[in-house]
């Protein structure tokens, strides 16, 4: 498994309601996506960073998703280019089924 942390940093606070609306609109894009286990849309407590966290089955699928086209698209959505970090998941707890 591999995690991908995508961070968008602005000089002004993100509007939480707008981010929540965007997350709702984009949710269907990710539901049932091959190789993607989880995706979350997040906002840091100060409101200056929006973060999306993905958990993928394989690194190749994760890296294949983040094309230049996708990066341009999300830059348009969030208004700033993302910082993308690939993280090796060495342990994972999933309590969603309990």
């Amino acid at each position: 498994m591999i995690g991908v942390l995508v961070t968008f940093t602005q000089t002004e606070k993100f509007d939480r309601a707008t981010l929540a609306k965007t997350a709702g609109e984009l949710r269907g894009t990710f539901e049932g996506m091959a190789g993607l286990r989880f995706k979350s849309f997040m906002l840091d407590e100060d409101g200056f960073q929006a973060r999306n966290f993905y958990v993928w089955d394989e690194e190749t699928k994760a890296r294949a998703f983040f094309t230049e086209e996708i990066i341009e698209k999300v830059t348009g959505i969030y208004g700033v280019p993302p910082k993308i970090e690939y993280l090796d998941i060495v342990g994972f707890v999933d309590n969603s089924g309990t």
Side-chain angles (χ1 to χ4, degrees):
M1 273 191 302
I2 186 163
V4 182
L5 180 61
V6 180
T7 304
F8 303 89
T9 304
Q10 289 194 152
T11 55
E12 295 183 19
K13 288 185 176 187
F14 281 97
D15 179 66
R16 187 186 189 289
T18 300
L19 287 180
K21 181 180 180 211
T22 299
E25 291 170 352
L26 295 175
R27 180 185 179 127
T29 303
F30 299 99
E31 290 177 333
M33 184 177 281
L36 180 65
R37 289 191 182 199
F38 297 97
K39 181 190 187 324
S40 61
F41 298 85
M42 303 174 291
L43 179 63
D44 75 338
E45 80 180 317
D46 293 333
F48 292 99
Q49 290 187 324
R51 295 184 177 122
N52 296 332
F53 187 69
Y54 302 74
V55 176
W56 295 87
D57 289 332
E58 301 171 15
E59 183 175 351
T60 54
K61 290 180 182 178
R63 290 187 183 272
F65 176 75
F66 292 99
T67 63
E68 288 299 318
E69 182 181 348
I70 289 292
I71 292 169
E72 286 179 28
K73 183 177 180 177
V74 298
T75 298
I77 291 170
Y78 289 89
V80 290
K83 176 183 176 187
I84 300 173
E85 299 173 80
Y86 295 88
L87 308 164
D88 184 16
I89 297 176
V90 297
F92 190 78
V93 176
D94 180 2
N95 290 325
S96 61
T98 58

